[in-house]
Amino acid sequence: MAAAIVCGYSRTTRHYEKASIARSLAKDGHLKTDVSERLEELNALRKDVQYGEPGPRVSRANLEELVESLESFLDEVEALLPTREKQR
């Protein structure tokens, strides 16, 4: 949400809206990486664990790859933030 707020999007707590914003951030060129599908995946995994039914989706999740991709995305967001702050 930090990148979304810096780019002028409204805050939201709805996961489907967050995914839509993530898609727009990539489409509009604010970020290179579209994490909308990753957000939907993470939300599904969270629900599985939260409701006590981890099931096969959690056991199939490649957590190492997930962490690496999220670290890379966070670097991208961090690079965006100082750029926007300088423009204000």
Side-chain angles (χ1 to χ4, degrees):
M1 286 306 314
I5 292 167
V6 167
C7 293
Y9 292 85
S10 298
R11 250 178 238 258
T12 184
T13 58
R14 295 181 178 96
H15 292 283
Y16 67 91
E17 290 177 350
K18 290 178 182 180
S20 177
I21 290 170
R23 196 172 295 110
S24 294
L25 286 169
K27 180 182 172 194
D28 295 343
H30 298 291
L31 295 171
K32 293 181 222 169
T33 307
D34 177 355
V35 294
S36 58
E37 289 182 17
R38 181 66 78 181
L39 288 175
E40 291 168 359
E41 175 189 1
L42 288 170
N43 188 46
L45 291 170
R46 176 197 61 82
K47 285 180 181 180
D48 286 354
V49 172
Q50 183 175 356
Y51 300 128
E53 300 177 22
R57 189 170 23 202
V58 173
S59 65
R60 285 192 311 258
N62 183 336
L63 299 180
E64 188 173 314
E65 185 272 330
L66 173 65
V67 169
E68 287 175 9
S69 68
L70 292 175
E71 286 176 343
S72 175
F73 179 71
L74 288 175
D75 290 343
E76 189 177 334
V77 171
E78 286 178 7
L80 172 73
L81 297 179
T83 302
R84 297 293 179 168
E85 289 299 315
K86 290 176 188 175
Q87 292 176 356
R88 290 181 182 208

